[in-house]
């Protein structure tokens, strides 16, 4: 019983890794719907591994390492492969020039910077009640959300017009992951309304966006999250 209690959170973390790995395989096979389902499962498991660890007081150094390693696949490799898939149709052409390599590989910069972001997070003791830079799950929702909506609904079709937009998005995404911008975390330091105004604004606005735009609103919610975080920079501590 003690073994299960001490390792239940780690089981959730490893299940997150398993789901993310399946998502990568399906994404490479062109099955973005199953990949999207795997991301949702990984997001749920990623939330519950921390919740379970705190509830059972089973936090451990092993759990911290496993969490980052699992996230590296589910929210690091997977969004990088997503951008890889979005850039794939353009081959070696960029801005009318023939590059000496296929530009799809630039998408994996997101994977590289996700790894850097996770490593920084592990050694930064300030990020207890906020994130410094865009967290990897949110970045995954942004990148994969665009890819999903582009294929499923046809919105954001301007991304197909030229690789320039997607290369710029790749660079912006990579920078946001390691940027010094403080981002809202849903961990509560106190329960007063004043201290939680950024979280309230984020939740209320995010719900409204999803109700208005439905699936198309998924990447918009992440953009809104970044904007709200910028507005409340001084209150995020």
């Amino acid at each position: 019983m003690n073994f299960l209690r001490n390792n239940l959170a780690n089981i959730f973390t490893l299940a997150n890794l398993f789901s993310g790995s399946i998502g990568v395989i399906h994404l490479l096979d062109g099955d973005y719907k199953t990949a999207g389902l795997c991301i949702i499962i990984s997001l749920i498991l990623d939330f519950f591994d921390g919740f379970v660890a705190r509830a059972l007081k089973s936090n451990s150094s092993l759990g911290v390492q496993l969490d980052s390693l699992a996230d590296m696949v589910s929210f690091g490799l997977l969004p990088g492969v997503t951008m890889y898939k979005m850039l794939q149709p353009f081959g070696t052409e960029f801005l009318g020039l023939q590059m000496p390599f296929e530009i799809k590989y630039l998408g994996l910069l997101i994977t590289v910077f996700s790894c850097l972001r996770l490593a920084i997070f592990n050694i930064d003791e300030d990020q207890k009640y906020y994130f410094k830079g865009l967290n990897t799950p949110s970045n995954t929702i942004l990148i994969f959300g665009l890819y999903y909506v582009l294929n499923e609904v046809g919105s954001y079709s301007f991304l197909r017009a030229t690789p320039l937009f997607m290369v710029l998005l790749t660079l912006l995404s990579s920078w946001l992951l390691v940027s010094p911008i403080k981002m809202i975390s849903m961990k509560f330091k106190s329960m007063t309304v004043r201290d939680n105004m950024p979280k309230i604004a984020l939740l209320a606005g995010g719900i409204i966006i999803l109700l208005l735009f439905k699936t198309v609103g998924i990447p918009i919610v992440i953009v809104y999250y970044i904007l709200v975080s910028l507005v409340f920079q001084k209150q995020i501590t």
Side-chain angles (χ1 to χ4, degrees):
M1 183 62 71
N2 284 337
F3 177 84
L4 180 61
R5 177 189 178 91
N6 293 334
N7 289 281
L8 184 58
N10 293 339
I11 292 172
F12 275 93
T13 302
L14 293 173
N16 165 20
L17 172 60
F18 187 68
S19 177
S21 299
I22 293 174
V24 171
I25 293 169
H26 279 274
L27 188 56
L28 287 170
D29 287 341
D31 183 5
Y32 63 89
K33 290 185 178 180
T34 301
L37 178 60
C38 289
I39 289 174
I40 292 171
I41 293 171
S42 288
L43 287 167
I44 294 170
L45 291 167
D46 186 52
F47 170 79
F48 275 105
D49 66 359
F51 178 82
V52 168
R54 289 188 294 272
L56 298 179
K57 297 180 180 179
S58 59
N59 303 76
S60 66
S61 298
L62 175 62
V64 172
Q65 298 305 317
L66 286 176
D67 188 61
S68 291
L69 291 169
D71 285 355
M72 185 56 220
V73 174
S74 299
F75 311 124
L77 179 59
L78 205 155
V81 172
T82 300
M83 187 55 73
Y84 167 95
K85 293 288 288 185
M86 284 201 280
L87 287 167
Q88 194 170 33
F90 297 100
T92 59
E93 185 178 345
F94 184 67
L95 298 179
L97 301 173
Q98 290 298 319
M99 306 299 288
F101 58 89
E102 292 186 78
I103 62 171
K104 62 185 180 181
Y105 295 111
L106 293 176
L108 296 176
L109 285 173
I110 292 174
T111 299
V112 172
F113 279 87
S114 294
C115 180
L116 182 57
R117 190 266 178 299
L118 289 166
I120 292 172
F121 179 80
N122 282 351
I123 61 174
D124 189 348
E125 296 182 358
D126 291 336
Q127 297 185 58
K128 291 182 178 179
Y129 295 102
Y130 68 90
F131 297 114
K132 193 180 294 180
L134 187 64
N135 61 79
T136 53
S138 294
N139 189 58
T140 300
I141 294 171
L142 172 63
I143 301 300
F144 186 82
L146 284 170
Y147 182 65
Y148 184 89
V149 172
L150 185 62
N151 284 281
E152 187 71 9
V153 184
S155 299
Y156 311 115
S157 57
F158 65 90
L159 292 173
R160 294 190 190 274
T162 169
L164 177 62
F165 293 113
M166 282 182 280
V167 170
L168 290 176
L169 177 60
T170 298
L171 296 175
L172 178 61
S173 167
S174 299
W175 177 77
L176 282 171
L177 286 163
V178 296
S179 74
I181 301 172
K182 292 181 180 179
M183 300 283 185
I184 299 166
S185 168
M186 296 312 291
K187 293 181 181 179
F188 294 88
K189 184 183 290 186
S190 74
M191 298 307 292
T192 63
V193 173
R194 182 176 180 179
D195 288 341
N196 292 301
M197 276 304 297
K199 297 179 180 66
I200 295 170
L202 175 61
L203 285 172
I207 291 170
I208 291 171
I209 289 170
L210 291 175
L211 287 174
L212 288 175
F213 299 101
K214 299 181 173 58
T215 306
V216 178
I218 293 173
I220 299 175
V221 167
I222 304 303
V223 175
Y224 176 71
Y225 168 49
I226 296 169
L227 293 175
V228 172
S229 294
L230 286 170
V231 169
F232 287 101
Q233 278 295 284
K234 293 184 178 179
Q235 289 180 244
I236 300 175
T237 57

